[in-house]
Amino acid sequence: MRQTWNATAPGVLQLPSGRLIRGRGLRRPLPDGPTPAYAVYLLGKQPPQVPWETEWLRWPDFRLPSDRAQARRVFREAWDRSAAERVELACGGGRGRTGTALACLAVLDGVPADRAVEFVRRHYDRHAVETPWQKRYVRGFAP
């Protein structure tokens, strides 16, 4: 059974393929509605315990993923699972690391890497992807 997000729910990014991914900041309360089936937490320290399946990608605030090979694998897994499951990407504030990861998923979905940050800013959060090195990381991300 397909269990995805509502495209109009806050924080949900619709990719060109129609896949839906929720981005959020963990410092804010959990939004009302369904919970994720799978979540990727982009944090410099161990994420909080939650009752759904999670993956932790070590990623200090305002920086880049500590392990780029793991990041590529985790982003592919999130993109693959978003075809049929509710997938969430989250960091502390929901903008820099989350926006960068969402932009990488957009690249996996067919958005050209040099336009993925603009895509995420237009469709998710206008402040997404906060640093120049996060922007460069997305531009260099290949599917």
Side-chain angles (χ1 to χ4, degrees):
M1 182 172 146
R2 187 172 156 96
Q3 298 180 359
T4 61
W5 303 109
N6 178 335
T8 61
V12 173
L13 172 67
Q14 183 167 8
L15 296 170
S17 66
R19 293 168 193 249
L20 302 171
I21 313 270
R22 181 170 77 185
R24 77 176 178 103
L26 294 171
R27 288 191 295 265
R28 293 187 216 114
L30 184 66
D32 290 335
T35 58
Y38 175 70
V40 177
Y41 295 125
L42 315 159
L43 299 167
K45 61 181 182 177
Q46 184 97 23
Q49 292 271 338
V50 290
W52 47 84
E53 186 180 350
T54 65
E55 181 108 25
W56 173 33
L57 181 58
R58 187 182 299 272
W59 191 335
D61 202 6
F62 298 106
R63 304 253 172 93
L64 296 174
S66 298
D67 182 335
R68 303 225 180 141
Q70 179 195 19
R72 177 172 297 288
R73 181 189 58 74
V74 168
F75 296 159
R76 172 62 70 176
E77 170 105 4
W79 183 81
D80 286 344
R81 292 178 73 161
S82 70
E85 297 176 66
R86 287 186 300 271
V87 173
E88 172 180 86
L89 299 178
C91 65
R95 288 186 167 167
R97 293 167 286 182
T98 297
T100 302
L102 287 170
C104 290
L105 267 63
V107 172
L108 291 173
D109 204 64
V111 175
D114 63 344
R115 297 178 58 206
V117 170
E118 174 191 340
F119 176 85
V120 170
R121 286 180 172 169
R122 186 176 334 113
H123 299 287
Y124 169 69
D125 184 312
R126 65 188 180 104
H127 299 291
V129 190
E130 295 174 314
T131 69
W133 41 93
Q134 290 172 341
K135 291 177 199 167
R136 276 195 304 275
Y137 179 77
V138 173
R139 280 196 309 272
F141 189 82

